[in-house]
């Protein structure tokens, strides 16, 4: 009677051994799956990083390409103006047999209504869009701008626009000096252009902001002038405030412009680095419209503090200037 019992116990021991063996195998399979999952997550993270870098590279190349296109268009405009001058001279000397018969380059391009104009206020169609301006002397090379012709009486030059966060505004001094982005998307017009404009004629400033809840407000300043690069593009003039957004810019009046690589602010640290933007930082800011585009309460966001006494991020900002 003992023998079958011993066989039964031996079989149970064998079954326990097999179950333990399978348990070890399952553990090994589980560890392998975990390792593979971690490896895949690492690969996926690397792919996302590579895609992000590629997207930034494409954006940078597009900005450079647009800059070259603007230069080419400006040269074409200059040639067109020379042709117009030549035609006028010829018309004054008919006895010499100089009869102009060539159409201007802008006529050939169907762009004669696009400028250049002295300002957005002088543009005759009063339709918002891209136009060429030559606001000061005849010898100045014309440049493209976006004219806002419907809101607040029209005649505004848009100098900054943000609405979807696709364009990275955390950039260096050279990029903020020269400008970046696309006129019909998000962009910054450039500090040197702002200096040229605001010193050629007296300008006023309009700032529009809207939060992620859809609350829209504006701030208006009767004067606005930017210093030269030698003056670090300081906020030289800022007139009396009016509007609904609250005054979040007077705190920055007379301060120089600061970028990640050019610290000109009133803080012991670089506010552009701390707040991940570029602005006329004081110590550090009440406004940071070139900050990070995100729906959060953070000093790094696209913010206008007196909007609701908070550094809550804005979903929309637009800065515009118009001559007084």
């Amino acid at each position: 009677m003992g023998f079958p019992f011993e066989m039964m116990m031996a079989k149970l021991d064998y079954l326990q051994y097999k179950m333990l063996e399978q348990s070890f195998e399952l553990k090994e399979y589980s560890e392998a799956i975990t390792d593979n999952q971690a490896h895949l997550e690492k690969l996926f993270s690397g792919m996302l990083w590579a895609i992000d870098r590629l997207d930034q590279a494409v954006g940078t190349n597009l900005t450079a390409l647009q800059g070259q296109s603007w230069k080419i268009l400006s040269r074409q405009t200059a040639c067109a103006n020379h042709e117009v001058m030549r035609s006028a001279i010829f018309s004054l000397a008919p006895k010499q047999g100089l009869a102009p018969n060539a159409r201007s380059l802008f006529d050939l391009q169907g762009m004669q209504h696009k400028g250049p104009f002295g300002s957005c206020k002088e543009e005759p169609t009063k339709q918002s869009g891209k136009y060429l301006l030559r606001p000061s002397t005849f010898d100045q090379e014309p440049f493209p701008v976006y004219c806002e012709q419907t809101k607040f009486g029209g005649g505004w030059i848009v100098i900054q626009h943000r609405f979807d966060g696709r364009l990275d505004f955390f950039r260096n001094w050279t990029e903020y000096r020269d400008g970046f982005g696309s006129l019909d998307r998000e962009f910054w017009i450039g500090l040197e252009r702002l200096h040229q404009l605001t010193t050629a004629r007296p300008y006023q400033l309009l700032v529009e902001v809207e939060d992620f809840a859809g609350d829209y407000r504006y701030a208006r300043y009767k004067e606005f002038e930017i210093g030269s690069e030698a003056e670090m593009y300081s906020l030289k003039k800022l007139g009396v405030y009016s509007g609904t957004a609250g005054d979040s810019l007077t705190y920055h009046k007379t301060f120089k412009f600061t970028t990640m690589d050019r610290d000109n602010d009133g803080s012991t640290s670089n506010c552009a680095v701390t707040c991940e933007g570029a602005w006329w930082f004081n110590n550090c800011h009440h406004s940071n419209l070139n900050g990070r585009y995100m729906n959060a309460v953070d000093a790094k966001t696209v913010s206008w503090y007196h909007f609701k006494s908070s550094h809550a991020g804005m979903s929309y900002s637009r800065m515009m200037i118009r001559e007084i």
Side-chain angles (χ1 to χ4, degrees), residues 201-215:
R201 300 179 183 182
Y203 276 85
Q204 58 183 308
L205 171 70
L206 182 71
V207 177
E208 296 180 298
V209 286
E210 182 177 322
D211 65 14
F212 282 88
D215 188 357

Side-chain angles (χ1 to χ4, degrees), residues 70-88:
W70 286 1
K71 289 180 181 179
I72 293 171
L73 183 59
S74 296
R75 293 192 184 101
Q76 291 175 336
T77 303
C79 292
N81 289 325
H82 293 160
E83 177 63 23
V84 171
M85 289 179 63
R86 186 174 68 85
S87 298

Side-chain angles (χ1 to χ4, degrees), residues 119-121 146-148 154-160 189 193-198 201-207 221 223-226 318-324:
S119 70
C120 287
K121 289 176 70 174
Y146 190 94
C147 293
E148 170 54 58
W156 298 93
I157 301 172
V158 180
I159 63 173
Q160 187 255 28
I189 196 171
R193 187 69 69 201
L194 269 181
H195 166 65
Q196 293 174 2
L197 285 167
T198 58
R201 300 179 183 182
Y203 276 85
Q204 58 183 308
L205 171 70
L206 182 71
V207 177
Y221 298 88
E223 286 184 288
F224 181 70
E225 183 180 332
I226 301 302
R318 189 166 69 159
M319 300 173 67
M320 305 187 291
I321 59 173
R322 183 174 69 186
E323 58 268 47
I324 300 172

Side-chain angles (χ1 to χ4, degrees), residues 75-77 79-80 83 103-111:
R75 293 192 184 101
Q76 291 175 336
T77 303
C79 292
E83 177 63 23
R103 301 171 66 195
S104 74
L105 183 60
F106 275 116
D107 286 334
L108 292 174
Q109 291 181 332
M111 290 182 62

Side-chain angles (χ1 to χ4, degrees), residues 173 232 251-252 254-275 277-285:
W173 180 267
M232 302 300 172
Y251 178 71
H252 301 266
T254 73
F255 279 85
K256 301 171 183 177
F257 203 83
T258 289
T259 60
M260 63 168 75
D261 58 339
R262 195 74 67 90
D263 186 0
N264 298 314
D265 57 50
S267 172
T268 55
S269 61
N270 185 329
C271 290
V273 174
T274 304
C275 303
W279 198 245
W280 298 275
F281 288 115
N282 185 327
N283 183 27
C284 274
H285 72 77

